[in-house]
Amino acid sequence: MKRVGILGLGEYLPQRILGNAELEKMVDTTDEWITSRTGIKERHLVSKLEAASDLAIKAAQEALKDAKIKAEDLELIIVATITPDMQFPATACFLQAGLNAKKAVCFDISAACSGFIYGLDIARQFIAQGSYKNALVVGTEVMSSVTDWQDRGTCVLFGDGAGAAVLGEVKLGGILSTYLGSDGTKADLIKCPGGGSRFPASSDTIKERLHYLKMEGNEVFKLAVNIMANAASEAVKAAGLTLADIDLVVPHQANMRIIMALGKKLNLPEKKIYLNIERCGNMSSASVATALCEAVKEGRVKKNDIILLDSFGAGLVWGAAIIKW
Ligand code: UT7
């Protein structure tokens, strides 16, 4: 089996920024509530002209440049998204066309906030087995397209963005281990019910606001910390390391309180945790992808550092990965 690592990273955040003060004018909320309960100050939102693949193209171009790989040499494209351009075809195919990556095999995966880590694991296995030489994995979300701007319980949480990674064979380090898990019995806790085959789009589904994200935030909150902590421990164990070996945690950015509780449970100080939640909110599959890209850009990751990626979201689905840089 070949050793697989990240060769390049990229991200794209749309230009428009929606701050908490503006949200105060839209729903019955306050900057104080949003900041103290979530840690979010602002989030990026797409323009009317931008869909998930448009954000993905920009993030992917940066990642390809960073990896010094040409789009025409890409062999596999995996897009993780729960807000695809359309029901079908796959957003990965729109991305392929946008990049002119003619050789690549393309498909989407739906694993919500854990989509980027699921994508890394899938791509890693294709490359490790020798099926493909390289892969592009992108987490891209237009969460604003499923946000109910009348629901103060959810509309303050989410943002739009994309993060991308190019994977290939490495001589040393790379992805040391992954740990994925799912629990479909809790599927009702976070969902977007309308527009699928269960409730095809109709005037009734629109009237009932079924095309918007629904979340039992409190229930999700209670599960998130323990599940992410367990995933981290399992991934660390599978890599033959201990939690003390971790140099930086790049967690899913759903709620600052969840992230801080996770750090406490894993006995990892705040300085070892990368955060972009304050500026970006929760971007589902794009959160870990953009946070990892920013951490590297900001010089928070040095050669040979041990990085823990850790996420949790709708499904429920969770995942962790240990990467030696
Ligand atoms: O990415 C996928 C995974 N998702 C998550 O991990 C999200 C996990 N959940 C959370 O982050 C938190 O549960 C939320 C941030 C969504 C909510 O925070 P909470 O501390 O659990 O608040 P709550 O839902 O228990 O609501 C507390 C109070 C309620 O009022 P009452 O019933 O106590 O009078 C809400 O109506 O806060 C009220 N509230 C708000 N008040 C002002 C809810 N949303 C808002 C708001 N502004 N935006």
Side-chain angles (χ1 to χ4, degrees), residues 1 19 43 68 78 81 88 102 119 127 132 146 202 210 222 232 234 246 271 281 284 289 308 314:
M1 295 286 252
R43 63 290 288 146
K68 299 184 182 64
I78 300 174
T81 186
F88 62 88
K102 290 196 182 99
I127 298 168
Y132 303 114
V146 292
S202 69
L210 296 187
K222 284 182 213 155
E234 292 292 339
I246 293 170
K271 65 173 196 288
S284 193
L308 164 68

Side-chain angles (χ1 to χ4, degrees), residues 177-180 224-246 249 261-268 306-311 318-322:
S177 70
T178 54
Y179 177 81
L180 307 180
V225 180
N226 285 340
I227 290 180
M228 284 173 82
N230 183 58
S233 301
E234 292 292 339
V236 162
K237 206 179 351 161
L241 300 171
T242 68
L243 290 166
D245 295 313
I246 293 170
V249 186
L262 175 72
K264 212 163 161 197
K265 209 164 169 101
L266 298 180
N267 206 14
L268 290 163
I306 301 293
I307 315 298
L308 164 68
L309 311 184
D310 200 357
S311 70
W318 54 90
I322 300 289

Side-chain angles (χ1 to χ4, degrees), residues 187-208:
D188 277 340
L189 292 182
I190 321 176
K191 62 187 176 188
C192 181
S197 55
R198 180 71 60 198
F199 302 110
S202 69
S203 52
D204 282 344
T205 61
I206 290 169
K207 221 181 304 157
E208 288 162 32

Side-chain angles (χ1 to χ4, degrees), residues 4-6 76-81 107-128 132 134-140 163-168 175 178-180 285 288-289 309 311 317-321 323:
V4 179
I6 291 178
L76 175 67
I77 296 177
I78 300 174
V79 169
T81 186
F107 60 89
D108 287 1
I109 56 168
S110 175
C113 309
S114 300
F116 183 68
I117 297 176
Y118 272 56
L120 290 184
D121 199 23
I122 296 166
R124 171 171 82 123
Q125 296 190 45
F126 274 122
I127 298 168
Y132 303 114
N134 58 42
L136 169 69
V137 179
V138 185
T140 184
V166 175
L167 275 72
I175 300 172
T178 54
Y179 177 81
L180 307 180
S285 71
V288 169
L309 311 184
S311 70
V317 290
W318 54 90
I323 303 174

Side-chain angles (χ1 to χ4, degrees), residues 28-30 33-34 37-38 113 152-153 156-158 190 215 217-218 220-221 224 252 254-255 257-258 282 312-314:
D28 180 17
T29 191
T30 58
W33 191 96
I34 303 170
R37 297 287 181 128
T38 72
C113 309
R152 69 173 183 171
V156 301
L157 304 173
F158 297 96
I190 321 176
M215 180 168 73
N218 229 291
V220 175
F221 194 105
H252 176 49
N255 188 312
R257 290 185 293 144
I258 293 176
N282 179 350
F312 170 88

Side-chain angles (χ1 to χ4, degrees), residues 3 9 16 47 50 70 84 88 120 132 137-138 141 149 166 176 220 240 248 251 259 262 290-291 294:
R3 188 181 279 272
L9 291 163
R16 167 149 156 66
S47 71
E50 288 173 311
K70 291 197 194 91
F88 62 88
L120 290 184
Y132 303 114
V137 179
V138 185
E141 302 290 1
W149 296 105
V166 175
L176 303 185
V220 175
L248 189 72
I259 297 171
L262 175 72
T290 56
E294 289 169 11

